[in-house]
Every structure is written in C-alpha cells, then in structure tokens.
Amino acid sequence: MSETHAAPKHPYHLVDPSPWPIVGAIAAGLLTSGGVLYMHGYGWTVLIIGILLVLGTMAVWWRDVIREATFQGYHTPVVQIGLRYGMALFIASEVMFFAAFFWAFFASSLFPVGGVWPPKTIHPFNPFEFPFLNTLILLLSGTTVTWAHHSLIEGDRNGLLRGLALTVFLGICFTSVQAYEYSHAPFHFTGGIYPSTFFMATGFHGFHVIIGTTFLIVCLCRAWAGHFKPDHHFGFEAAAWYWHFVDVVWLFLFVCIYWWGEGSGGAGPAG
C-alpha cells in the first residue's frame, strides 16, 4: 500500500538530484582555461585534465540517462515529446552557429579586399576531388542510417545493426578523408581571411561528424544490447536527426565554400 501511495500521479519525470551538472561545469572551466594556457605556452597539463573530466562527465551522465530511459521506465510518451522538442531546439541552435560562419564567408567573398576571391595567394581545393568524395560518403551514410531506423521500426534487428555499423564506418571514412585533405592543404589557418573562414566552417562541421559518429557508436552498442524497441527508441531517433543535420550542412558547405567559393581558382589549383 505504501508503494502504491508513493507512486507518481503524473507521467512526467522529476529528475533526482545529480552531481554531474556542477562537475560538468568545473570540467568545462578547466578545459577552457587549459586551452587558453596551452595557447599561451604554459603547457598542456590543465587542458588534458579538463578533457578527461569532460569525457568522464559525459560518460556517467549519459549512463544515468540510459538507465532512466531503458530500465527505470521514466521516459514516458509525454517525456519523449519534451525530449524531441529539446533535440529540435538544440539542432536549431547549431544551425545558428553555422549561419554565423557562412555569414563571415560570404561577407568576405562578396566584398573581398583587393577585389579578388579567393585571394591571389590562395590555391583552393578542387571541389570535385576529395570534397566530392566526402559528399558521396555522407549522402550514402544518410541512406544507411535511414535503413537502420526503418529496420528498427519493423523489428528487423539484423538490419538495424548492419545499417548502424555501415553508418559508423562511413562516418569514420569521412573524417579520415577530411584529415588527409587538411594535411595536404596548400594554405594554413593563419594565412588570411580565406583560410580562417574555410577551416572554421569545415572544421566545425568535421567536429560535428566526430560527435555524430560517437553518438551512433553508442547507439550501435545499445542496439546490440537490445535497448531499443520499435515504439521506444528516442536515443536512436535523436542520433539520426543529428546525422541528417550534419549531412545537410555539408551539402551547403560543398556548394557554397568548395564549389562557389573556389571562384576563378585564385592562384590556380594546387598540383
């Protein structure tokens, strides 16, 4: 009787007190401070501590969320609606980040100093070499994550695991190709406005691909463990939304920065 009397009378989740928000704030502060100290030549000790604390906080915090969703039953349909709104607003905030970077790029390219874009000293990438290959990789990954999602809805566990595994593999391929491209770039971040806007926009996107790939790896492990059900899988759904967002942003980057931004080729394509 006491358990029945103590049971909640509403479908909402009142989260228990958790130490992770304050721990995460301290970790983020150490990470930021460590980054500043490192860039001013004071070593990397604080930076490494900050990175490890942030990663550790993420791991235990999301572990708790998975427990609440999968084993404790707190993520009711009403709670899932709130989570969907939260994820949609998070993606909208990410759109604003990229809008700022595109704004910087177009402001510099439409009204270039010296009247030439790219600057005469810049050898832009050929958009139909590695950038086009990465476009194909990401478009294919969008197809495989959709395959995985539909397999989950239809109760096809093998299709879910194969689709997720292929998406993770393609995400790793994209990051590897971009790392190779960066290592062979004929310009550097400090080389002027073109390299700054180029690396800021494409590098920030690459960071999102790494986050999305990690997100999908966690989903793959959870799918293997049987956490997802056809009618209860918001964790996977959020990862799929995020991955499609990353796909769409890359299409804009490819068309605007790699293709249109190539202009007349600056000093001519690098050999």
Side-chain angles (χ1 to χ4, degrees):
M1 290 295 292
S2 60
E3 292 180 0
T4 303
H5 182 72
K9 302 298 190 294
H10 55 78
Y12 301 98
H13 179 203
L14 302 180
V15 183
D16 294 330
S18 170
W20 308 132
I22 184 63
V23 173
I26 294 171
L30 284 173
L31 175 61
T32 305
S33 302
V36 172
L37 291 172
Y38 174 77
M39 287 184 282
H40 285 79
Y42 290 99
W44 44 261
T45 304
V46 177
L47 176 62
I48 295 298
I49 293 173
I51 291 173
L52 293 176
L53 279 176
V54 167
L55 293 176
T57 303
M58 290 168 61
V60 293
W61 200 342
W62 288 107
R63 176 206 62 190
D64 290 352
V65 173
I66 290 172
R67 287 175 178 172
E68 293 166 356
T70 307
F71 304 109
Q72 297 171 349
Y74 288 134
H75 288 190
T76 63
V78 172
V79 172
Q80 290 184 56
I81 291 174
L83 292 172
R84 284 182 171 83
Y85 278 121
M87 190 66 191
L89 289 172
F90 170 70
I91 291 176
S93 72
E94 294 288 282
V95 170
M96 294 301 102
F97 265 118
F98 283 102
F101 299 147
F102 277 107
W103 189 314
F105 178 80
F106 281 116
S108 303
S109 58
L110 293 174
F111 305 99
V113 176
V116 178
W117 188 266
K120 293 181 179 180
T121 57
I122 295 295
H123 297 269
F125 287 104
N126 184 337
F128 293 100
E129 291 181 350
F130 284 116
F132 185 67
L133 173 62
N134 260 351
T135 302
L136 296 179
I137 290 173
L138 269 192
L139 289 176
L140 181 57
S141 72
T143 303
T144 56
V145 78
T146 301
W147 168 33
H149 193 187
H150 282 277
S151 297
L152 172 56
I153 293 173
E154 295 169 4
D156 180 4
R157 184 172 184 270
N158 288 334
L160 168 63
L161 293 175
R162 290 172 183 171
L164 271 175
L166 278 174
T167 308
V168 168
F169 172 73
L170 291 169
I172 294 172
C173 288
F174 178 93
T175 302
S176 300
V177 171
Q178 189 168 41
Y180 181 85
E181 179 187 70
Y182 276 11
S183 68
H184 290 78
F187 46 81
H188 301 285
F189 191 89
T190 57
I193 187 63
Y194 180 92
S196 295
T197 54
F198 173 86
F199 283 120
M200 193 68 235
T202 60
F204 196 62
H205 174 269
F207 176 65
H208 279 68
V209 171
I210 294 172
I211 293 174
T213 303
T214 305
F215 203 169
L216 290 169
I217 290 173
V218 172
C219 287
L220 179 59
C221 295
R222 294 188 64 195
W224 184 268
H227 289 184
F228 299 131
K229 302 295 185 291
D231 60 344
H232 194 281
H233 55 267
F234 174 73
F236 175 81
E237 194 173 350
W241 287 6
Y242 190 85
W243 196 253
H244 288 308
F245 159 71
V246 167
D247 284 354
V248 172
V249 170
W250 177 258
L251 292 177
F252 280 97
L253 287 170
F254 175 76
V255 172
C256 298
I257 293 182
Y258 280 101
W259 189 3
W260 181 86
E262 183 189 23
S264 60

